Amino acid sequence: MAENEFIAGYSYEEWENLEKEFLRDYKNSTMYNKSFRELISEILEGETYMSFADKTNLSPNMLYRLKKQVDEKDPPQRSTIVTVCIAYKIDFLMMQALLHSLGLDINRFNKRDYAYTFLLTRCRDKTLDQCNDILKQLGIPQTYWLGHHAKGKKKTKKK
């Protein structure tokens, strides 16, 4: 083992940060079997409309919508959920729990969903702008980018 190496190639400080992240994620994993409103309210506890808007680049009103109006019949865009997860350093499993609570899931055969998974597993420490740069480089259309790009309703095809 190298002189400054602690565990598996991590420095002591890097390991401490990784361990804290693990312990936080593990603690959060115990709260997954709840409704979307319960989960999102716990994640966003104590946030003001403006602090939420500053962190997410979403409309301040989205905080109210997420906590009070969203349900299976009126789900938010996936990009909105991923925006919140990136902004609040939420792990992939919690994002899955949020989607499951709305009757939704990740489609690993969908490039957009796979890119969101990539962001939450490999790029969680990045800013929203950096994540959008990554999405751009991965060929994800701008309508699926994060933050203010997630605001508008996506056009759906009529049957």
Side-chain angles (χ1 to χ4, degrees):
M1 207 156 53
E3 208 173 287
N4 62 350
E5 196 175 304
F6 183 65
I7 293 176
Y10 292 104
S11 71
Y12 182 77
E13 185 177 328
E14 290 170 331
W15 176 255
E16 276 190 324
N17 290 335
L18 191 63
E19 185 178 36
K20 284 179 192 172
E21 186 177 301
F22 167 81
L23 292 172
R24 186 196 72 206
D25 291 348
Y26 179 71
K27 180 182 174 206
N28 286 343
S29 74
T30 62
M31 64 182 214
Y32 289 169
N33 292 326
K34 295 181 181 178
S35 72
F36 179 85
R37 290 182 190 164
E38 289 174 298
L39 289 170
I40 204 73
S41 291
E42 289 176 10
I43 291 167
L44 302 174
E45 185 177 2
E47 285 299 319
T48 66
Y49 289 105
M50 293 317 295
S51 66
F52 173 81
D54 288 343
K55 286 180 184 173
T56 63
N57 292 328
L58 295 169
S59 162
N61 294 332
M62 183 57 74
L63 177 62
Y64 178 83
R65 180 167 146 52
L66 289 171
K67 286 184 168 186
K68 304 291 184 187
Q69 295 177 332
V70 165
D71 59 24
E72 286 186 38
K73 294 176 186 160
D74 187 21
Q77 300 297 322
R78 285 173 195 259
S79 56
T80 299
I81 293 174
V82 175
T83 295
V84 170
C85 290
I86 293 291
Y88 290 89
K89 309 291 187 221
I90 303 301
D91 71 333
F92 173 73
L93 293 175
M94 179 57 83
M95 187 213 36
Q96 274 190 311
L98 289 166
L99 289 174
H100 283 280
S101 70
L102 294 167
L104 304 172
D105 204 353
I106 290 291
N107 178 352
R108 65 187 177 105
F109 301 110
N110 176 288
K111 188 175 180 182
R112 175 206 59 198
D113 284 5
Y114 201 84
Y116 289 163
T117 299
F118 180 78
L119 291 178
L120 289 166
T121 57
R122 303 287 307 271
C123 309
R124 234 166 78 187
D125 60 332
K126 301 295 182 194
T127 67
L128 291 171
D129 288 337
Q130 289 171 323
C131 288
N132 282 333
D133 286 343
I134 292 167
L135 291 172
K136 180 180 180 180
Q137 292 304 312
L138 295 175
I140 303 302
Q142 190 172 356
T143 55
Y144 299 114
W145 292 3
L146 309 179
H148 67 278
H149 299 284
K151 283 182 183 175
K153 277 269 191 202
K154 306 297 187 257
K155 293 179 182 173
T156 57
K157 295 178 183 177
K158 293 189 179 188
K159 293 181 180 178

